[in-house]
Amino acid sequence: MRQIYEKIMTVPKIVIALPQNIAYGASMEMLLVSDFVIAKNGTKFAAPGAKLGVFPPVLVSIGPSIIAIKTPEDLL
């Protein structure tokens, strides 16, 4: 996953993500490194893996500075 995130962040073009219905876990983290996210109305976002002890690295490291949340736990 790290290689995918790095590629998205370094590609010399604008990256637009279009999630539909749900974006959970790694797919939600992929949205955090995209330049623009245009979500279908009603799309749900969550990082439920953290409750299971799965460390969400992108969410924890850069998530709070990108999206308006106080702590990553707000998305559990």
Side-chain angles (χ1 to χ4, degrees), residues 8 13-19 31 34-38:
I8 291 171
K13 301 203 181 249
I14 294 173
V15 176
I16 301 172
L18 303 167
L31 300 175
S34 300
D35 295 310
F36 294 96
V37 177
I38 303 169

Side-chain angles (χ1 to χ4, degrees), residues 10-47:
T10 59
V11 69
K13 301 203 181 249
I14 294 173
V15 176
I16 301 172
L18 303 167
Q20 296 182 0
N21 301 323
I22 62 169
Y24 286 4
S27 60
M28 189 201 71
E29 288 193 299
M30 193 173 297
L31 300 175
L32 293 174
V33 296
S34 300
D35 295 310
F36 294 96
V37 177
I38 303 169
K40 178 181 174 182
N41 192 22
T43 300
K44 297 179 183 182
F45 303 88

Side-chain angles (χ1 to χ4, degrees), residues 50-70:
K51 287 183 176 180
L52 302 172
V54 178
F55 181 67
V58 177
L59 177 62
V60 171
S61 60
I62 63 174
S65 65
I66 294 173
I67 55 179
I69 58 172
K70 294 179 185 173

